[in-house]
Amino acid sequence: MIFDKWKKNKKQEIKAVSEGKIKNLENVKDEVFSKGLIGKGLAIIPEENTVRSPIDGILTVVFPTGHAFGITGKDGVELLIHIGIDTVNLKGEGFTILVKQGQEIKQGEPLVNCDFRLIEEKGYQTDILVIVTNHDQFCLEQVSHENEHVEAQQSIIYHCGRKNE
């Protein structure tokens, strides 16, 4: 497991962005993600078309193509939600953005609707990556594991806040 252990009495929850099956990040077919070059996290193979916010926070980045979102939590945790592999090449086709950059969002709030059938027909992987980009500042524990089915908004990662606190 690539995550640090910590006391669960301080946990903050990062929730599943969609119903689906968990895939460990190292099994994602993109070296930048699978080698953890952007951060630590996991992927969800989606079983529904809506992608939701995994935390309360501010949308710091909303890619105009709808394939990626940056969220900063109130405690400073920074998440990247990246939908699919190389889906930036679709130039927004198959994505209906439901939010705006700078917007305050709540955990569970829809970010984007995706036409995953279209995305797959165009030859792209549909893995939704949930990555803590500033993972070096937080204690993390993955609580959902490879091939496990998760419901949208089920806890998938705990974090304990900043390591130096």
Side-chain angles (χ1 to χ4, degrees):
M1 193 66 52
I2 60 170
F3 292 89
D4 304 317
K5 297 294 181 186
W6 53 278
K7 295 181 182 177
K8 288 186 179 181
N9 62 350
K10 294 183 179 180
K11 71 181 175 185
Q12 299 292 322
E13 297 175 315
I14 297 173
K15 306 274 186 142
V17 295
S18 173
E19 179 179 358
K21 189 165 52 166
I22 296 294
K23 180 188 276 189
N24 288 337
L25 204 56
E26 60 264 18
N27 295 326
V28 169
K29 293 182 179 177
D30 182 297
E31 282 192 28
V32 172
F33 295 116
S34 65
K35 291 187 177 187
L37 299 177
I38 293 177
K40 292 183 181 180
L42 50 75
I44 298 173
I45 302 167
E47 296 175 4
E48 65 176 321
N49 291 327
T50 300
V51 177
R52 302 173 186 287
S53 179
I55 60 172
D56 291 345
I58 300 290
L59 281 161
T60 50
V61 177
V62 175
F63 280 78
T65 55
H67 82 286
F69 300 83
I71 304 170
T72 300
K74 294 178 181 179
D75 57 3
V77 69
E78 295 173 358
L79 298 181
L80 171 65
I81 311 305
H82 192 282
I83 303 162
I85 304 300
D86 295 326
T87 51
V88 67
N89 297 328
L90 291 171
K91 299 179 180 164
E93 185 180 6
F95 298 92
T96 303
I97 301 171
L98 306 172
V99 293
K100 294 181 180 159
Q101 190 164 311
Q103 178 180 332
E104 187 171 333
I105 56 167
K106 296 288 183 194
Q107 194 171 60
E109 188 172 338
L111 301 173
V112 62
N113 287 327
C114 306
D115 185 342
F116 286 118
R117 181 173 289 146
L118 172 82
I119 293 167
E120 285 179 329
E121 286 172 0
K122 298 275 185 174
Y124 295 94
Q125 298 264 328
T126 60
D127 300 354
I128 305 171
L129 298 120
V130 179
I131 299 174
V132 180
T133 58
N134 60 347
H135 62 91
D136 57 330
Q137 298 175 28
F138 291 86
C139 302
L140 302 172
E141 180 182 356
Q142 183 173 333
V143 294
S144 295
H145 304 288
E146 182 86 7
N147 295 317
E148 179 182 342
H149 181 269
V150 292
E151 298 293 328
Q153 297 304 287
Q154 178 178 328
S155 295
I156 56 172
I157 299 171
Y158 293 143
H159 75 85
C160 64
R162 295 194 184 274
K163 285 183 177 181
N164 60 0
E165 290 180 350

